[in-house]
Amino acid sequence: MSLRIFILAGEPSGDRLGGALMAGLKQLAPGVSFDGVGGALMAEQGLVSRFPMDELSVMGLAEVLPKYRHLKRRIRETAEAVLETRPDVLITIDSPDFSLRVARLVKEQSGVRTVHYVAPSVWAWRPKRAARMAEVIDHVLALLPFEPPYMEAAGMACDFVGHPVVAEPQATQAEIAAFREEFDLGQSPFVLALPGSRRSEVSRLAPDFGGALQRFTAAHPEYRIVVPAAAPVAGLVQDALQNWPVGTVLVDSNRFDPATARAHKRAAFAAADLALAASGTVSLELAAARTPMVIAYKFQWLTWQIMKRMALIDTVTLVNLVSESRVVPECLGPECTPEAIAARLNALAVNPSAQLDAMELTMERLGQGGEEPGLCAARAVLDRLHGR
């Protein structure tokens, strides 16, 4: 009898993890069958989603409230589907508001094994989340090497399986040359500016990023500014650039087919001399491309006050955390000002190689050079399922 897996993802990042995991499971367990909810990449691996994954890609209280009844119904329907089909394992991927509610309903009425892919960041804040998660999750697949002890202390099995960034392709020299020609960059050095992928982030960060880059280019006129913009926020970024340095280059992914847009993004990351980026996993993409960076982020006042009091760490940048260093400078909360950001960019321009060792170590610790994360995750699922 073939292995039956019910798998859930609620947003594009989860779909990427799910697609790679499914490919790994198919390689290690031929004949495996899948049921559940996912996106295009999981569909490529054979999943027929029970409903469109986009229904779950809702963020923020104002966005969730109008859809609350519908989301509750989807949670109940999904749990009922798991209970009806009785898979060998239920795998939930990130999206804890949806995933863990489904897992709780399933555990209340069955002994179906549950696996959650992406450990909650209990090392950063709200550590009690691990104990609540342990009530409904048997096994966690962690993206960061220091996470397993936190999950195990709460009573769950946990395996570090590597971060997907280590499996992402890096730009070729041909892609870099094509990128420079397409955007008329010649051989100019440039700063890669990444003010976020959500509208709220761009609205908050673009003015300070623009002011900082005006100051930086006044001191370093040889530098150009390049801004890759995700499709949903490209128009907003375009409007914001009116107050940025003259000659700033917008890389609008809407102008290109998906493959070309991805190639341009890879090339921009690889060819950049420095980067100014919003806080988030983009720091790992920059580290993979070996691009020195300054990280900045501005929060709403109340959010900052709460975070400042609840935080368990003194840095939010994953490169700093994974490498156990503090070489990537941060401008967070009230420090996210044009003056402070420009000062850190100026210092970085003087010594850009200061971060290279930490970036190398980060990629090594995240699994670069080893088994691909999707295959490693699949092996961990099967080993724990079979008691190995």
Side-chain angles (χ1 to χ4, degrees):
M1 188 169 167
S2 66
L3 183 66
R4 294 175 299 116
I5 292 180
F6 204 105
I7 187 166
L8 304 175
E11 54 190 340
S13 59
D15 183 46
R16 287 193 293 275
L17 290 171
L21 172 59
M22 291 169 68
L25 287 165
K26 287 164 66 177
Q27 181 177 333
L28 298 176
V32 62
S33 63
F34 300 103
D35 194 354
V37 179
L41 297 176
M42 292 166 71
E44 287 179 10
Q45 298 299 326
L47 180 70
V48 178
S49 187
R50 285 182 170 257
F51 55 84
M53 185 189 73
D54 294 350
E55 292 185 18
L56 305 179
S57 300
V58 183
M59 295 191 65
L61 187 62
E63 291 81 11
V64 168
L65 282 177
K67 300 184 178 180
Y68 180 69
R69 287 178 181 268
H70 180 70
L71 289 170
K72 278 197 72 173
R73 186 167 68 250
R74 286 304 197 195
I75 289 168
R76 186 180 66 253
E77 290 173 357
T78 305
E80 289 172 352
V82 177
L83 292 166
E84 180 184 340
T85 57
R86 295 280 171 163
D88 295 288
V89 61
L90 165 63
I91 301 175
T92 55
I93 305 173
D94 213 358
S95 302
D97 289 339
F98 177 77
S99 295
L100 300 184
R101 283 175 169 84
V102 171
R104 186 169 296 278
L105 291 174
V106 169
K107 279 296 192 184
E108 285 173 353
Q109 302 179 60
S110 77
V112 170
R113 181 171 179 78
T114 51
V115 177
H116 190 68
Y117 198 172
V118 183
S121 52
V122 298
W123 38 267
W125 69 308
R126 290 172 59 200
K128 292 180 180 178
R129 284 178 292 167
R132 288 195 294 273
M133 188 167 149
E135 295 171 0
V136 300
I137 296 297
D138 300 309
H139 179 200
V140 180
L141 304 174
L143 303 187
L144 302 175
F146 52 78
E147 292 177 321
Y150 293 93
M151 302 296 103
E152 291 163 353
M156 295 171 283
C158 185
D159 292 295
F160 165 62
V161 297
H163 196 287
V165 72
V166 303
E168 291 293 318
Q170 295 299 308
T172 64
Q173 288 303 311
E175 287 175 334
I176 292 172
F179 172 77
R180 284 189 171 277
E181 183 176 358
E182 173 71 33
F183 294 98
D184 196 26
L185 289 167
Q187 294 305 309
S188 298
F190 67 87
V191 179
L192 190 69
L194 302 156
S197 58
R198 301 189 181 104
R199 296 185 67 84
S200 59
E201 290 176 330
V202 173
S203 297
R204 279 200 304 272
L205 295 175
D208 291 314
F209 276 34
L213 292 166
Q214 290 277 20
R215 289 167 170 77
F216 177 79
T217 53
H220 303 274
E222 70 276 18
Y223 278 85
R224 302 282 300 276
I225 309 299
V226 174
V227 191
V233 297
L236 189 62
V237 173
Q238 175 76 68
D239 293 341
L241 296 189
Q242 295 175 20
N243 299 314
W244 285 40
V246 174
T248 292
V249 174
L250 175 67
V251 182
D252 182 352
S253 57
N254 291 303
R255 288 181 47 213
F256 305 96
D257 64 83
T260 302
R262 288 192 295 271
H264 283 335
K265 180 183 175 182
R266 287 195 297 269
F269 275 60
D273 297 86
L274 308 172
L276 169 59
S279 175
T281 56
V282 70
S283 71
L284 296 181
E285 296 180 71
L286 291 166
R290 307 303 192 265
T291 300
M293 70 196 87
V294 171
I295 297 298
Y297 207 81
K298 180 174 281 187
F299 306 85
Q300 293 182 345
W301 183 85
L302 181 59
T303 301
W304 173 251
Q305 296 303 315
I306 294 170
M307 287 185 61
K308 189 169 61 172
R309 287 162 174 76
M310 294 179 65
L312 305 175
I313 51 177
D314 65 350
T315 177
V316 301
T317 302
L318 287 169
V319 173
N320 287 341
L321 288 163
V322 175
S323 67
E324 299 177 277
S325 70
R326 297 296 182 265
V327 295
V328 176
E330 299 174 330
C331 298
L332 306 176
E335 284 290 306
C336 185
T337 65
E339 296 80 7
I341 296 169
R344 286 161 176 79
L345 280 172
N346 286 330
L348 187 59
V350 172
N351 187 18
S353 63
Q355 297 178 16
L356 291 180
D357 286 347
M359 291 191 286
E360 293 277 357
L361 181 58
T362 296
M363 290 299 108
E364 178 186 324
R365 288 182 172 177
L366 291 181
Q368 193 168 65
E371 190 171 65
E372 286 201 359
L375 184 60
C376 188
R379 196 180 305 282
V381 169
L382 295 174
D383 283 351
R384 297 280 187 177
L385 180 62
H386 298 308
R388 294 196 292 267

